[in-house]
Amino acid sequence: MHHALRLAENAEGEGEIPVGAVLVDKDGNILGEGWNRSISLSDPTAHAEIQAIRMAGQKLGNYRLLDTTLYVTLEPCTMCAGAILHSRIGRLVFGASDYKTGAIGSRFHFFEEYKMNHFLIIRGGVMAQACRQKISQFFKKRRAEKKEAKAKANGA
Ligand SMILES: [Zn+2]
């Protein structure tokens, strides 16, 4: 999760909502990593999880990512939950809850709705405070910048 948080900083540096994800194999080797890049890539699907999953699939030469663990700083959305399902990831560990779009219990119960033919271990709230803080600080900063720009535009 420490590594995922560092990846989230990459997103922040690009003006994206700071979310980071890393996918590791059962020995802890990194197979894929990613951060939120929706704006910079003009791609609404470019969430951190999708980036990490894509990279791992390429690396393994396989569309099934069995026996892997995905660490992500924010609760996945329905799109990413779908990608986790299709990739057969074995374990999901996430940080902060997302009450707006979170699909792992906050807003939707994606995996409970599904009759899963594979077993996914889920653990949420890991380093939640640090993960949440990163996002809330980002929005706080962005609000302050917007306010400043508005004040400037008004000749203040
Ligand atoms: Zn997502």
Side-chain angles (χ1 to χ4, degrees):
M1 192 56 87
H2 284 282
H3 186 60
L5 267 168
R6 272 195 294 276
L7 294 168
E9 282 167 19
N10 292 352
E12 192 171 7
E14 294 172 5
E16 306 266 2
I17 297 168
V19 180
V22 57
L23 190 80
V24 301
D25 67 14
K26 62 180 189 322
D27 299 318
N29 300 308
I30 292 174
L31 299 171
E33 52 183 35
W35 56 93
N36 190 25
R37 303 198 69 194
S38 295
I39 300 167
S40 52
L41 296 179
S42 301
D43 180 357
T45 71
H47 287 184
E49 301 94 311
I50 304 288
Q51 306 282 339
I53 288 169
R54 277 200 181 125
M55 190 192 272
Q58 294 295 314
K59 187 164 179 171
L60 293 174
N62 199 329
Y63 73 112
R64 298 287 195 228
L65 306 174
L66 302 167
D67 296 323
T68 59
T69 299
L70 180 70
Y71 292 88
V72 55
T73 57
L74 183 67
E75 180 181 351
C77 69
T78 49
M79 173 182 73
C80 293
I84 290 164
L85 176 83
H86 287 288
S87 56
R88 303 289 188 269
I89 284 169
R91 192 166 155 245
L92 165 68
V93 180
F94 67 89
S97 294
D98 183 351
Y99 298 103
K100 241 168 103 183
T101 63
I104 321 294
S106 294
R107 182 81 165 79
F108 307 103
H109 296 268
F110 184 89
F111 290 105
E112 281 173 34
E113 302 287 326
Y114 244 94
K115 285 210 169 40
M116 305 247 307
N117 56 4
H118 88 291
F119 191 66
L120 176 71
I121 299 162
I122 300 171
R123 193 168 159 217
V126 174
M127 292 177 65
Q129 205 185 341
C131 294
R132 193 179 313 117
Q133 215 166 42
K134 192 157 275 309
I135 292 171
S136 59
Q137 274 168 358
F138 171 81
F139 281 113
K140 206 170 158 186
K141 200 173 141 208
R142 204 163 76 168
R143 275 195 300 272
E145 282 167 0
K146 268 190 185 158
K147 206 172 161 187
E148 201 178 308
K150 208 172 168 185
K152 255 186 202 151
N154 291 336

